Structure formats: C-alpha cells, structure tokens
Amino acid sequence: MPSTSSLQLVHQGAACPACAGSLQDAVSAACGHTFCSLCLPAHAQMGAQPSGRVLLCPLCQEEEEQTETLLAPVPLGPVGEMNCEEHGEKIYFFCKNDSEFLCVFCREGPSHQAHTVGLLEEAIQPYRDRLKSRLEALSTEKDKIEDIKCREDQKLHTLLTQIENKKQQVETTFERLQQELEDQRHLLLARLRELEQQIWKERDEYITKVSEEVTQLGVQIKELEEKCQQPGSELLQDVRVNQNRCEMKTFVSPETISSDLIKKIRDLHKKILALPEMMKKFSENLVRHLETDSEAETE
C-alpha cells in the first residue's frame, strides 16, 4: 500500500486517456479512471439490469455493478490531484482506519477490504469543517482577547492619567505651601527689621538726651571748680547766688526703650518662639496622614 509520501501531484493540463486531449470537465467512472465528461458513454448507452446499471470504462472495459447513486460520473473539480506511485492511478479515496490515500486498485486490495473507505473529497470535508470551526472559535477568542486588551488598556490609560493629575496636584499643593511659608518668612523678617529700626531710633534719642544732660552737668562742674578757686571775700559776696546755682538738680533718666516698643517685641518673640513646635507638629501630621493613606491602600 502506498503511503502519503509515495503520492505525487498531477499538474494542470493532464490528458484524458480516451481522447488524449486535456481533461475538460473531468469526471470519474466507477472504476476510478478519469475522463472528459463527453468521453464517457451517455446514460442511454449504459444499459440496465434489474439490480442496477452497468458503466463500461473505455480504458479497462471492466464491468462493475453499481447502485443507482454511483452510476453518474463524479465531478472532480480542478485538475491537480494526486497520483499513486505504485499503480500510477489517480487518488480518489481515503482510508479512515489507516489515514491513507488510495487509488482504485489500492481500495480493492486486501489491506483495506474491511476498512472504512470513502471518497477523498468526502473524507476531507469533515476535516475542513473541523478546521473551519476551530478557525472560527480561535477568531472569536482572538477578538474577545483583543476586546479585553483594549478595555484593560483603556483602564490603565485612565489610571495613568489620574496619576499624572495627582502628580500635578501634589506639585501645586507643595508649591503653594512653599510660597505661603516664604511669604510668612518675609513678613516676619520685615517685622523684625521694623522693630530693629525702631530700637535704633529710640536708642539714638536716648543717647542724645543723656549726652545733653551729661554736657550740662559738665558745665556746672566746671563753674564750681572755678568758684572753689576764688578768694574767700568774693566767694562770700556771691554766697546766695552760688548757693542756688550749686543746688543739685534731680536727674530724670529718659526711657531707654518705649513701653509700646517693648510690647511689640514681646508679642513677636512669642510668635517666633512657637514656630519650631508648630512646624514640627505640621510635619508629623503630614507624615502620619500620608502613611495612613498608604496603609489603607495596601490593605
């Protein structure tokens, strides 16, 4: 029995054994030989018997009784089918038991008498149907997977867009916070510089007042020193005048810093003193808040 590897293809333009021309509308006789449809005897010339009709092959002249359904020639479709290398005949049958291609002589051989043998096209069709069914199933599955991929990719794209928006939100929030802190820093420094200027101003006023008092005292000290050098007679003549001029005046020390300025300094000092603790609490609350959110997402 020739295997599938022993088969060869008949090229386009194979000859009809009856007319020796190219096959036209090729059909098969009951014995399996192939002819042009016009080269086979017409049905009226086939004769008839009670049990069936007899089809005579012009090539082998063998008579084979066939049932009514097998008398008509079987169209083979496009030329280009396989040949059996062992018998040189065309392949028109398929053994389902051995999965082998058979010609007419192979089909009648003892190896396949008890096997299920059918026409090649009939044997191929179930495989084609299964392949088509599988193809349709795979195509449906592919479309389904593509649809799932598209939906999931859209979800991921949406998530990426949300993440990008959150990044912008975080950047904006911290930039705003940084700007607010920077504004408060400038405000505090401006108030400190203002207090500094007021302190310098009041210091200058204090120094001026005290310096004037010191100058006046210096003048009086010089006058008294000069009086002490006068003769006694002159000193006694002006005793009353000198006594009044020599009386000690009470020195009233001016305020070094005004009470209003002191109040401003104390108030600002309290605010600045609380800043480190406020910043520490803010940082701890922020860290706690972010860590809590991360744990919630993890759960």
Side-chain angles (χ1 to χ4, degrees):
M1 170 57 57
S3 63
T4 303
S5 61
S6 66
L7 301 178
Q8 60 184 6
L9 292 177
V10 175
H11 297 287
Q12 190 73 17
C16 171
C19 66
S22 298
L23 287 171
Q24 300 294 330
D25 298 326
V27 292
S28 175
C31 62
H33 287 119
T34 305
F35 303 91
C36 299
S37 59
L38 297 178
C39 294
L40 283 176
H43 290 175
Q45 301 172 348
M46 292 179 184
Q49 294 181 357
S51 60
R53 294 180 180 178
V54 176
L55 175 63
L56 297 178
C57 172
L59 186 62
C60 62
Q61 296 295 320
E62 293 181 356
E63 296 183 358
E64 295 182 2
E65 291 190 358
Q66 302 293 335
T67 62
E68 185 71 22
T69 57
L70 296 178
L71 278 174
V74 181
L76 298 179
V79 178
E81 302 186 14
M82 294 178 289
N83 261 14
C84 172
E85 287 189 349
E86 181 178 355
H87 301 106
E89 298 294 329
K90 295 181 179 64
I91 301 300
Y92 294 110
F93 304 99
F94 182 75
C95 177
K96 295 183 180 180
N97 299 76
D98 296 335
S99 296
E100 291 184 353
F101 298 100
L102 308 176
C103 68
V104 175
F105 297 105
C106 294
R107 181 190 64 176
E108 299 299 331
S111 301
H112 301 282
Q113 286 295 324
H115 292 175
T116 302
V117 177
L119 292 174
L120 184 61
E121 186 63 28
E122 294 176 355
I124 292 174
Q125 192 59 42
Y127 292 102
R128 287 178 176 169
D129 292 341
R130 284 196 293 271
L131 289 175
K132 183 178 179 181
S133 176
R134 181 58 179 164
L135 176 62
E136 292 176 352
L138 290 176
S139 298
T140 302
E141 184 69 15
K142 177 177 175 290
D143 294 340
K144 181 180 177 181
I145 293 175
E146 289 286 346
D147 185 58
I148 293 175
K149 185 190 78 170
C150 182
R151 291 200 307 270
E152 295 302 319
D153 184 65
Q154 184 63 35
K155 291 180 182 179
L156 293 174
H157 181 73
T158 301
L159 288 176
L160 289 173
T161 302
Q162 292 176 353
I163 292 296
E164 186 62 30
N165 292 336
K166 292 300 180 183
K167 286 168 59 179
Q168 294 295 329
Q169 183 178 352
V170 169
E171 289 288 345
T172 302
T173 300
F174 277 87
E175 286 177 0
R176 186 183 299 114
L177 176 61
Q178 184 178 3
Q179 185 61 46
E180 291 176 356
L181 291 175
E182 188 68 16
D183 292 343
Q184 293 300 320
R185 185 179 74 88
H186 285 298
L187 179 61
L188 284 175
L189 291 176
R191 294 179 66 180
L192 286 171
R193 282 192 292 268
E194 182 182 351
L195 290 176
E196 184 180 27
Q197 291 176 358
Q198 291 182 8
I199 291 173
W200 279 107
K201 180 182 177 181
E202 292 194 4
R203 173 186 177 277
D204 292 341
E205 292 175 353
Y206 171 78
I207 295 297
T208 300
K209 291 180 179 180
V210 173
S211 296
E212 290 176 354
E213 187 69 23
V214 170
T215 300
Q216 292 178 3
L217 290 175
V219 172
Q220 291 181 3
I221 291 172
K222 184 177 181 180
E223 290 180 356
L224 290 177
E225 288 178 346
E226 291 176 352
K227 292 295 181 182
C228 290
Q229 299 298 325
Q230 291 179 352
S233 58
E234 294 179 5
L235 186 61
L236 291 175
Q237 289 178 357
D238 299 329
V239 65
R240 290 184 179 179
V241 177
N242 293 332
Q243 186 177 359
N244 292 332
R245 296 180 65 180
C246 292
E247 288 181 356
M248 294 295 296
K249 295 181 179 180
T250 303
F251 174 70
V252 179
S253 177
E255 290 184 344
T256 306
I257 299 177
S258 64
S259 58
D260 182 60
L261 181 57
I262 292 175
K263 183 177 182 302
K264 290 180 180 180
I265 294 174
R266 287 176 178 175
D267 290 342
L268 190 58
H269 173 72
K270 290 179 180 178
K271 293 179 180 180
I272 296 175
L273 191 64
L275 279 179
E277 187 64 24
M278 291 175 62
M279 292 298 182
K280 180 181 178 182
K281 288 183 179 180
F282 170 77
S283 179
E284 291 175 350
N285 290 336
L286 179 62
V287 171
R288 189 180 303 111
H289 171 71
L290 295 178
E291 287 180 350
T292 302
D293 287 351
S294 299
E295 291 174 359
E297 292 176 357
T298 304
E299 294 176 359

